[in-house]
Amino acid sequence: MSKKYTAKGIQVLKGLEAVRKRPAMYIGSTDVHGLHHMIYEVVDNSIDEAMAGYCNSIVVSVSPGGVVMVEDDGRGIPVDIHPTQKKPAVEVVMTMLHAGGKFDHDSYKVSGGLHGVGVSVVNALSEWMEVEIWRDGARHTQRYEIGIPVSPLRAIPLEENKEKTGTKITFHPNPAIFSTMEFSFDTISQRLRELAFLNKGININFTDKRFGKSHNFQYDGGIVSFVKMLNENRTVLHSKPIYINEKKDDCEVEIAIQYNDSYGEKIFTFANNINTLSGGTHLSGFKTALTRILNSYAQKNNLFKKGKNNKIVLSGDDVREGITAVLSVKLPEPQFEGQTKGKLGNSEMMGIVASILGQKLGEFLEENPAIARKIVRKSIDSARARDAARKAKDLVRRKSVLESGSLPGKLSDCSVKDPEHSELFLVEGDSAGGSAKMGRDRRFQAILPLKGKILNVEKARMDKILSNEEIKTIITALGTGIGEDFDISKIRYRKVIIMTDADVDGSHIRTLILTLFFRYMPELVTEGCIYIAQPPLYKVKKGKKEKYAYNEEKRIQIIEEFGGEKGISLQRYKGLGEMNPDQLWITTMDPERRIMRQIVLEDMVEADRIFTILMGDKVEPRKNFIQENATYVKNLDI
Ligand code: 0RA
């Protein structure tokens, strides 16, 4: 490289240095999330090329040591000399922050949120990166180290297959910047699968060379296939999803809807391929139009007039009972809001989605009266049940701590009142509850013993859920309310710790409690409030020495540490009740010593699938899942 730096050259170096100095500002974090972001950023560029209609296939691979390769068959990044930078365009794209303008070849490029920072950021945070471009009858290559070119762009004329076009980017994230280099096969697979759903027809191949595993994703049905997959373990009301795809004012709206016979609602929303976990204007428009159209259809067709139905107005919750939907919008300048940037803010999207859904859903219902009637009938059923639910809910409200000041009798509360510094243990059984109560630090640890199994909320409506004693006690102790009344600001404990036995019953109870939280209080999960206590499996003792083992591996290790099997006594804990209060404190409850697992929601789609399989009413998928994951189910980590 030339030693003489031009003013522009210095600018480039300064830009890359800024990225390396504050990587989190550009890719969110330098932990495992940021690491995966590096891949998504590069893949997004290929997806953009596909959305523009020039690319059919994307190949991604991860190799040992964390080397990533992303190849597409698009037009190839331009290699001609940039008119003002006087360098090959590809070098400009790879080294200059936000090298946009002329090179923003797609109007739906993401400009806000976490994605869309540009491949130059990935380059700056990579120990090395190599780009290969096939276009104009040649293969063009260039290498960069920490974002700086270490070779000029070279062109090698193609001997055969001269028409080939495409871009291949290979890089190694800089281990000096990232706290981990461990890519997750599942995390990458899930995101690539999602992209394949959202961009129908694109073939995305992913190979993990570390484990010799691969996936090939291609969904010619796009989000219709997505909705079918979300419903695959449910009983659907109509076999063909309702599908809408319209453009308006530079924006594209794509919707797929399919109702099932459950009581829950699942609406996944995306803006420019980014999962908007907290919804936003597009979701508001969707909800408004759905409620309006189903009410007016029912009215017009006299579906309310039979018997006692004439006073009914369907609420939003009624028309969404049992809905599974994917809403994907594409717009020129998306604004992502909120702490996690998961909420679409563009106000124009509300009206655009509402008017498209209003018009097209109205037409669909007119043309498909049998399906329309099934959906309306289910909504009316929900409206009737809602009356009963309201009564039950009032009960909980009346009993709620905030309004009446009375806590459940079974709760042994802590003395600290600051939620940030208090913990609630949900403990299986009265005997373990007793030990926990005696063993705890009563200043900040509250104990709520649960009797037996709580109701499976996956199979029940709100009224039944709220008349269940165990569930009522949990809600009252937490103070947050439930469902649409849920308010996290009223939470009484920032940590909620599920403590059950390490056996089949224990894991069943744990899953039932997690289902309640996931379906009716999901913010508890997304805000990281839910933990699972990890009681030890064994106590290993030799003479005066004793240690606790939390898994088989540790048990063997401790025995070795104690000098072999001779004179060793091994106690296996079958339940929490077998530990005295002191032991329970030392091994499981003391913040200084305990091991807990925090429940994190990496992937809502996968979590939904697992809960549906485990808790829904189809037996076959559950059997299969349990057989395939025999050891995993015991340690369900969502
Ligand atoms: C700018 C202009 C053109 C293509 C691309 C960028 C492009 C970028 C990437 C990044 C990864 N894969 C890509 N494929 C294409 C179009 C140039 C033309 O008119 O041919």
Side-chain angles (χ1 to χ4, degrees):
M1 199 173 55
S2 159
K3 289 249 162 62
K4 267 195 256 153
Y5 290 111
T6 60
K8 275 176 201 137
I10 289 167
Q11 230 181 355
V12 166
L13 290 177
K14 276 194 175 153
L16 297 176
E17 200 180 290
V19 176
R20 285 194 303 272
K21 266 200 177 140
R22 292 175 191 270
M25 259 187 58
Y26 297 86
I27 50 156
S29 67
T30 54
D31 60 11
V32 69
H33 296 281
L35 183 75
H36 285 76
H37 227 93
M38 298 277 278
I39 300 189
Y40 304 155
E41 191 58 52
V42 176
V43 171
D44 277 356
N45 289 295
S46 301
I47 293 281
D48 281 343
E49 186 69 358
M51 275 160 58
Y54 299 103
C55 158
N56 302 313
S57 139
I58 301 172
V59 178
V60 180
S61 75
V62 170
S63 299
V67 173
V68 179
M69 191 279 293
V70 178
E71 179 171 0
D72 68 54
D73 63 350
R75 291 168 292 181
I77 304 177
V79 293
D80 48 330
I81 299 299
H82 190 279
T84 56
Q85 299 293 331
K86 313 279 185 234
K87 286 180 199 168
V90 55
E91 188 176 327
V92 176
V93 169
M94 296 310 236
T95 58
M96 291 189 67
L97 293 183
H98 283 290
K102 179 174 186 280
F103 296 99
D104 267 354
H105 61 295
D106 193 298
S107 61
Y108 294 142
K109 248 198 149 72
V110 178
S111 59
L114 285 170
H115 300 262
V117 285
V119 68
S120 58
V121 165
V122 180
N123 194 10
L125 300 178
S126 293
E127 191 183 38
W128 56 264
M129 179 180 268
E130 285 170 6
V131 61
E132 287 176 74
I133 293 154
W134 289 264
R135 62 180 288 156
D136 312 330
R139 186 171 76 97
H140 311 260
T141 63
Q142 188 168 32
R143 181 180 165 95
Y144 315 82
E145 286 170 12
I146 60 168
I148 302 161
V150 293
S151 68
L153 186 71
R154 291 196 182 99
I156 303 137
L158 295 173
E159 297 295 333
E160 50 191 38
N161 204 358
K162 293 185 179 141
E163 299 301 301
K164 176 172 172 164
T165 63
T167 303
K168 175 169 164 178
I169 293 174
T170 313
F171 64 98
H172 186 243
N174 195 339
I177 287 175
F178 292 94
S179 60
T180 172
M181 294 293 286
E182 284 301 316
F183 283 108
S184 152
F185 177 76
D186 289 338
T187 304
I188 297 167
S189 300
Q190 278 152 14
R191 174 61 183 156
L192 295 180
R193 184 186 58 178
E194 188 171 275
L195 284 170
F197 275 130
L198 293 169
N199 300 278
K200 75 173 110 186
I202 304 183
N203 187 285
I204 304 181
N205 194 282
F206 173 44
T207 303
D208 191 326
K209 297 188 173 166
R210 298 169 305 173
F211 315 121
K213 291 200 279 189
S214 71
H215 274 310
N216 195 62
F217 303 113
Q218 178 171 344
Y219 301 102
D220 295 331
I223 62 169
V224 168
S225 313
F226 199 166
V227 159
K228 281 187 177 166
M229 184 205 67
L230 290 167
N231 271 340
E232 75 186 341
N233 296 307
R234 294 186 162 121
T235 307
V236 295
L237 296 195
H238 50 110
S239 57
K240 223 174 118 197
I242 302 167
Y243 177 66
I244 293 162
N245 185 6
E246 293 291 316
K247 286 201 174 102
K248 197 175 185 221
D249 306 341
D250 283 350
C251 298
E252 186 178 342
V253 176
E254 220 188 336
I255 298 170
I257 303 172
Q258 188 183 38
Y259 281 83
N260 62 57
D261 71 351
S262 81
Y263 307 124
E265 73 173 70
K266 274 286 142 237
I267 306 174
F268 290 94
T269 63
F270 299 85
N272 292 16
N273 292 329
I274 291 176
N275 190 344
T276 34
L277 276 173
S278 313
T281 50
H282 53 340
L283 179 59
S284 304
F286 177 96
K287 288 183 173 175
T288 313
L290 185 72
T291 312
R292 180 168 53 81
I293 295 301
L294 283 176
N295 269 297
S296 70
Y297 180 85
Q299 203 79 54
K300 211 171 113 194
N301 292 278
N302 289 331
L303 300 179
F304 288 150
K305 288 270 161 66
K306 296 204 183 94
K308 298 174 279 183
N309 291 344
N310 45 352
K311 278 204 198 100
I312 286 181
V313 175
L314 302 174
S315 73
D317 285 337
D318 295 334
V319 300
R320 293 193 302 273
E321 188 183 279
I323 198 172
T324 299
V326 173
L327 163 63
S328 168
V329 300
K330 288 175 182 149
L331 65 163
E333 277 179 50
Q335 283 148 23
F336 295 101
E337 300 173 345
Q339 273 224 308
T340 46
K341 299 267 175 233
K343 191 171 183 183
L344 186 67
N346 303 59
S347 55
E348 72 276 12
M349 280 323 283
M350 181 130 82
I352 292 174
V353 174
S355 89
I356 290 175
L357 180 61
Q359 158 123 38
K360 293 290 157 186
L361 180 63
E363 286 171 20
F364 178 90
L365 297 176
E366 293 300 336
E367 289 161 15
N368 298 273
I371 298 175
R373 272 161 205 273
K374 276 190 194 166
I375 295 171
V376 170
R377 216 174 298 137
K378 178 147 173 71
S379 303
I380 291 174
D381 279 353
S382 161
R384 287 212 201 100
R386 187 162 45 94
D387 264 355
R390 195 185 289 119
K391 282 171 200 146
K393 233 187 281 180
D394 284 346
L395 212 70
V396 172
R397 274 212 202 96
R398 247 183 293 129
K399 282 192 178 170
S400 91
V401 195
L402 293 148
E403 280 160 51
S404 73
S406 77
L407 287 163
K410 299 201 301 177
L411 176 76
S412 303
D413 208 3
C414 51
S415 47
V416 168
K417 290 290 168 244
D418 175 8
E420 282 305 318
H421 297 103
S422 35
E423 309 179 337
L424 174 67
F425 283 82
L426 302 176
V427 187
E428 171 185 358
D430 283 336
S431 89
S435 292
K437 198 175 148 186
M438 285 191 277
R440 69 177 169 150
D441 184 330
R442 63 172 58 244
R443 284 172 305 173
F444 66 95
Q445 293 182 321
I447 309 292
L448 182 64
L450 297 174
K451 216 187 276 152
K453 296 191 174 158
I454 72 163
L455 177 79
N456 179 1
V457 299
E458 196 72 14
K459 292 183 190 166
R461 268 205 182 108
M462 199 57 135
D463 52 336
K464 206 165 152 214
I465 292 169
L466 288 176
S467 56
N468 180 270
E469 281 307 319
E470 298 304 298
I471 290 180
K472 262 198 297 201
T473 330
I474 295 175
I475 301 167
T476 317
L478 283 174
T480 54
I482 182 173
E484 50 184 322
D485 300 324
F486 180 86
D487 181 355
I488 198 155
S489 72
K490 293 185 175 156
I491 198 164
R492 301 182 62 250
Y493 317 90
R494 202 61 179 70
K495 285 199 176 92
V496 179
I497 303 159
I498 304 171
M499 191 156 79
T500 58
D501 288 340
D503 60 12
V504 179
D505 271 357
S507 63
H508 190 203
I509 293 170
R510 185 171 66 215
T511 310
L512 289 166
I513 299 173
L514 285 174
T515 310
L516 169 71
F517 290 152
F518 178 69
R519 293 291 187 217
Y520 288 95
M521 308 154 118
E523 256 185 281
L524 287 181
V525 183
T526 53
E527 291 296 311
C529 303
I530 309 296
Y531 295 81
I532 294 178
Q534 301 274 85
L537 291 178
Y538 300 99
K539 181 163 81 174
V540 191
K541 216 173 156 181
K542 185 174 179 179
K544 285 213 169 82
K545 288 187 290 191
E546 61 175 42
K547 272 195 172 176
Y548 296 94
Y550 293 83
N551 56 43
E552 291 297 327
E553 212 174 63
K554 253 307 193 277
R555 177 181 64 93
I556 295 164
Q557 196 187 322
I558 294 169
I559 292 176
E560 256 167 44
E561 212 177 288
F562 285 0
E565 302 273 354
K566 251 195 158 180
I568 285 200
S569 87
L570 192 67
Q571 187 185 355
R572 189 187 154 90
Y573 294 116
K574 289 201 201 72
L576 296 163
E578 289 178 16
M579 272 183 271
N580 64 38
D582 231 27
Q583 286 174 325
L584 199 57
W585 163 255
I586 291 170
T587 60
T588 317
M589 298 176 74
D590 177 7
E592 299 290 321
R593 281 177 281 195
R594 70 188 177 197
I595 305 169
M596 298 200 305
R597 277 189 302 157
Q598 187 179 29
I599 301 292
V600 288
L601 264 194
E602 282 273 314
D603 180 38
M604 285 293 255
V605 175
E606 183 62 9
D608 173 63
R609 193 180 75 87
I610 293 174
F611 277 112
T612 307
I613 292 175
L614 287 179
M615 293 307 181
D617 46 23
K618 287 204 175 174
V619 178
E620 211 45 41
R622 177 161 55 242
K623 260 197 202 153
N624 294 341
F625 182 86
I626 291 173
Q627 268 160 19
E628 283 160 23
N629 298 274
T631 53
Y632 182 69
V633 174
K634 275 176 110 174
N635 286 302
L636 184 75
D637 219 340
I638 313 302

